[in-house]
Amino acid sequence: MLRDLAGKKALVTGAARRIGRAVAMALAREGADVVIQFMSGRAEALDTCRAISALGARCWPLEADFSSGTGSGSAGYEGLVERAGGLAGGIDILVNNASVFPANTLYDVTLKNFQAGMEVNAWAPLVLSRNFARLFGKGMILNMIDTRVTGFDWTHAAYIWSKHVLLSMTRMMAVEFAPGIAVNGISPGLILPPSGKDETYFKAMEKTVPLKKSCTAEEVADIAMVLLKSEFITGEVIRVDGGRHLWEYVPGQHPD
Ligand SMILES: NC(=O)c1ccc[n+]([C@@H]2O[C@H](COP(=O)([O-])OP(=O)(O)OC[C@H]3O[C@@H](n4cnc5c(N)ncnc54)[C@H](OP(=O)(O)O)[C@@H]3O)[C@@H](O)[C@H]2O)c1
């Protein structure tokens, strides 16, 4: 029922820091080797690799930009799974974690915002996943979604649309890539403040969550390990959000 991750080879996108780093570290603790994709965080990626090597696992930092222009080229998402597989000698686990989170509303969102959010947060995961399926045909995919897909995030319109698409893709891929590949998702809630927001903002947000707290990136990584180890779960999305999604059922009191 639970598979051993020791000796598996994983590609984790956006793994230089924050939640992606925690997932990469958790995989290494399980004995998996990890390719960590980064975009701007070269120094952080090297630091994560050092930390992974100290755990006795192998790690390769791999630069790629998923944004328009370069994103679709060989240095972007198109060639990434093949490059990662070449480094590690195959890939068994793909974690689609990299994401952009720009602020925009229905009143000011532009087509460019819409396309940028879709490309990095939904299109790149699709291309990586189908390339993974075509090249290796078996393994596990884990998509990082967002608990706000239960409803909306009015202040990050393009972002939330892309996450709605990623949620839909998770279920479609679970069917299309079966039986060789299990595809699941995690929908995090309040984990780490986005750039430009401090702990004060986060503490205020915690009061709006039923369990009145946030959780650490490591706690998200723990749930990621449960999904990746399971041999009988696919098409599932676990909310790691302290019950935040339940606000959708309290009319007029949604905190977003
Ligand atoms: N933090 C939370 O509380 C929270 C809540 C809900 C959902 N989530 C989801 O959980 C996942 C991880 O969250 P996070 O806050 O740790 O993510 P994050 O820090 O916002 O982004 C993760 C990584 O994505 C990479 N990235 C950004 N733009 C890219 C591009 N154009 N091409 C390639 N890589 C790019 C960045 O790599 P570099 O640093 O190397 O540039 C960044 O470190 C995301 O999918 C996010 O949407 C997080």
Side-chain angles (χ1 to χ4, degrees):
M1 180 78 180
L2 287 186
R3 64 166 68 82
D4 187 0
L5 299 183
K8 301 280 185 211
K9 296 168 179 91
L11 166 61
V12 184
T13 68
R17 41 193 153 201
R18 293 167 58 89
I19 294 174
R21 174 183 163 118
V23 172
M25 294 290 296
L27 282 163
R29 259 180 237 109
E30 294 291 335
D33 297 327
V34 195
V35 179
I36 58 171
Q37 176 272 335
F38 68 95
M39 182 185 67
S40 63
R42 175 178 296 278
E44 291 84 355
L46 292 174
D47 186 64
T48 302
C49 271
R50 273 191 291 274
I52 285 174
S53 302
L55 292 169
R58 294 185 301 165
C59 182
W60 301 266
L62 190 52
E63 185 173 354
D65 182 351
F66 299 168
S67 54
S68 201
T70 50
S72 56
S74 58
Y77 44 82
E78 281 294 353
L80 188 66
V81 172
E82 202 165 0
R83 289 167 72 204
L87 289 170
I91 295 293
D92 306 291
I93 298 168
L94 167 65
V95 181
N96 288 306
N97 168 80
S99 160
V100 283
F101 187 60
N104 41 54
T105 70
L106 279 183
Y107 284 101
D108 59 29
V109 67
T110 63
L111 178 60
K112 209 170 161 190
N113 297 147
F114 177 84
Q115 288 170 331
M118 278 300 168
E119 184 162 31
V120 177
N121 299 354
W123 186 252
L126 169 66
V127 172
L128 294 179
S129 299
R130 70 186 179 195
N131 287 350
F132 172 66
R134 281 174 182 147
L135 279 169
F136 302 112
K138 61 183 173 60
M140 296 82 86
I141 296 174
L142 182 68
N143 294 324
M144 285 295 174
I145 310 172
D146 191 306
T147 192
R148 285 165 285 194
V149 295
T150 304
F152 305 102
D153 177 347
W154 302 100
T155 56
H156 299 86
Y159 166 83
I160 204 65
W161 291 328
S162 68
K163 293 291 186 176
H164 277 282
V165 171
L166 186 58
L167 171 64
S168 176
M169 281 178 178
T170 301
R171 292 168 178 155
M172 289 176 74
M173 291 192 293
V175 174
E176 193 84 4
F177 299 159
I181 299 176
V183 187
N184 292 297
I186 289 181
S187 273
L190 288 176
I191 314 298
L192 295 168
S195 85
K197 301 284 189 188
D198 59 14
E199 283 297 327
T200 320
Y201 156 86
F202 225 52
K203 286 285 158 205
M205 289 294 288
E206 282 178 3
K207 295 194 184 107
T208 69
V209 174
L211 292 185
K212 305 287 182 225
K213 59 180 182 180
S214 55
C215 87
T216 63
E218 286 68 30
E219 287 173 86
V220 176
D222 287 344
I223 303 303
M225 294 310 107
V226 170
L227 285 173
L228 292 172
K229 282 184 190 178
S230 170
E231 293 189 351
F232 203 51
I233 300 179
T234 196
E236 191 57 79
V237 178
I238 297 186
R239 299 180 186 101
V240 183
D241 72 347
R244 189 180 183 190
H245 65 282
L246 297 169
W247 280 107
E248 291 305 322
Y249 306 107
V250 186
Q253 291 192 46
H254 193 272
D256 285 335

